[in-house]
Amino acid sequence: MTPLQHLGRIIVLSGPSGVGKGSVIAPVLAQFPTIHLALSATTRPQRTGEFDGTHYHFKTDAEFDQLIQDSCFLEWCHVHNHRYGTLKDTVNTTIQTGHHSLIEIDTQGFKKIRQHCTPISIFIAPPSLAVLAERLTNRQTESPHDIDSRLAVAKVELESQTDYTYTIVNLDLAEAQRQLIEILKKELI
Ligand code: 5GP
């Protein structure tokens, strides 16, 4: 008889564009092999240095429409004029094998996920909007117009941070990573 497998947890991590979510998460994940980062699907154009199947599943509008029609998403949202969605299969395969699924989504997506389950929820906040503006400008991946629109969305997202169980202010990268490790140890070990 196959022993019953414990379900893994869903971990939602949100934070405004440019706050440094990737830099905080990547080295921490290397220390938690039981946590799998769920790849989202998006209609956003691929940036230089990004790869399909590594950073996102990059989709055309028609392909994204088909995924919606086939009920493939746990949630999907319009973010910064593009569509992004969490794939049900990706998350289910991870948690059904007893691993934990970390999904990096925006605050609207978190509100939708919360209707189905109670994930561990972590918000990464910038020290200030001025610092966020500087980081978005320095990374040189968005046009000035896109930066303005991402900052406007950031203001709204910051208002939702109280919906999350934990908030980490990314003032110092090493300290933010330390706090994330503490939270994950407390919740998962
Ligand atoms: P970026 O284009 O900078 O990679 O991501 C823009 C925003 O989309 C970020 O806030 C990120 O968290 C969010 N995002 C990425 N994947 C998903 C997803 O599957 N669902 C939702 N709702 N938001 C996502």
Side-chain angles (χ1 to χ4, degrees):
M1 194 172 25
T2 317
L4 274 179
Q5 182 80 50
H6 282 292
L7 279 188
R9 306 278 309 271
I10 295 179
I11 307 158
V12 170
L13 206 136
S14 302
S17 176
V19 77
K21 294 187 290 286
S23 311
V24 175
I25 299 167
V28 173
L29 279 188
Q31 294 187 37
F32 290 86
T34 56
I35 302 178
H36 296 182
L37 181 63
L39 273 199
S40 296
T42 184
T43 58
R44 163 169 82 59
Q46 212 164 324
R47 293 179 188 142
T48 311
E50 284 184 333
F51 299 100
D52 186 36
T54 302
H55 297 89
Y56 282 105
H57 297 290
F58 292 99
K59 301 290 176 191
T60 62
D61 273 317
E63 287 168 340
F64 203 94
D65 286 341
Q66 190 63 52
L67 289 169
I68 295 172
Q69 208 174 318
D70 295 342
S71 302
C72 292
F73 289 119
L74 204 53
E75 62 76 37
W76 71 269
C77 294
H78 288 276
V79 191
H80 310 306
N81 302 319
H82 300 292
R83 291 183 289 173
Y84 295 79
T86 308
L87 293 158
K88 265 185 209 165
D89 273 0
T90 306
V91 173
N92 285 343
T93 306
T94 299
I95 63 173
Q96 281 164 9
T97 53
H99 296 93
H100 310 293
S101 185
L102 189 144
I103 55 180
E104 202 234 282
I105 58 175
D106 81 325
T107 52
Q108 312 168 74
F110 173 51
K111 286 189 171 80
K112 292 184 182 175
I113 294 267
R114 271 203 309 180
Q115 294 169 5
H116 308 289
C117 62
T118 312
I120 299 165
S121 59
I122 306 165
F123 188 89
I124 303 198
S128 68
L129 276 173
V131 170
L132 188 66
E134 196 183 311
R135 286 181 189 167
L136 278 170
T137 307
N138 288 346
R139 76 179 189 183
Q140 297 184 325
T141 50
E142 277 81 26
S143 66
H145 175 268
D146 282 344
I147 292 176
D148 286 347
S149 116
R150 281 174 188 249
L151 283 172
V153 171
K155 281 185 196 166
V156 176
E157 291 203 305
L158 287 172
E159 287 167 11
S160 295
Q161 63 182 289
T162 49
D163 294 346
Y164 290 72
T165 316
Y166 302 98
T167 296
I168 297 172
V169 177
N170 187 16
L171 173 61
D172 172 74
L173 185 58
E175 174 56 19
Q177 288 165 349
R178 194 196 63 74
Q179 288 182 26
L180 181 58
I181 290 168
E182 282 306 301
I183 293 167
L184 295 174
K185 279 187 180 162
K186 181 177 161 217
E187 292 281 352
L188 302 177
I189 298 176

